[in-house]
Amino acid sequence: MRLTFPGEWHPNGRSVLKFDATTGALVSHSDVRNSSQGYLLSQMIYPLHVAAVGGIAWLVVVLVGGIALILLPITGIYSWCWRQYQLYL
């Protein structure tokens, strides 16, 4: 079972509880708050990537970036085709 602690950025939580399927006893647990700073920093990438934090402003930035990544190869191919067309005129 994954847990989300207050103030945690990740929408699904990163702390884990594992139970025995037959007895229901707690087998293991990990609290992400006790992890190293490097691990915690690396876990902040996913919420930023899916715009789970930052509000509407960050959502717009991620959306514009995604659209730009779609348009980049399309406009590149178009420019290349246009130059090839201009060479043969």
Side-chain angles (χ1 to χ4, degrees):
M1 177 168 57
R2 291 175 73 166
L3 303 172
T4 304
F5 286 103
E8 189 175 350
W9 275 22
H10 201 282
N12 302 326
R14 284 295 176 194
S15 298
V16 178
L17 296 177
K18 293 182 182 178
F19 296 95
D20 186 357
T22 56
T23 63
L26 182 64
V27 176
S28 67
H29 70 295
S30 68
D31 186 353
V32 76
R33 296 177 298 177
N34 297 330
S35 300
S36 67
Q37 287 298 103
Y39 179 76
L40 293 176
L41 184 63
S42 72
Q43 294 301 307
M44 289 182 178
I45 294 171
Y46 176 76
L48 288 172
H49 175 73
V50 298
V53 296
I56 192 73
W58 183 248
L59 180 63
V60 169
V61 168
V62 172
L63 181 65
V64 169
I67 291 171
L69 289 175
I70 292 170
L71 292 177
L72 206 64
I74 294 170
T75 57
I77 292 169
Y78 175 77
S79 297
W80 182 83
C81 290
W82 181 253
R83 290 189 76 187
Q84 296 302 312
Y85 174 73
Q86 293 295 324
L87 288 174
Y88 293 115
L89 284 181

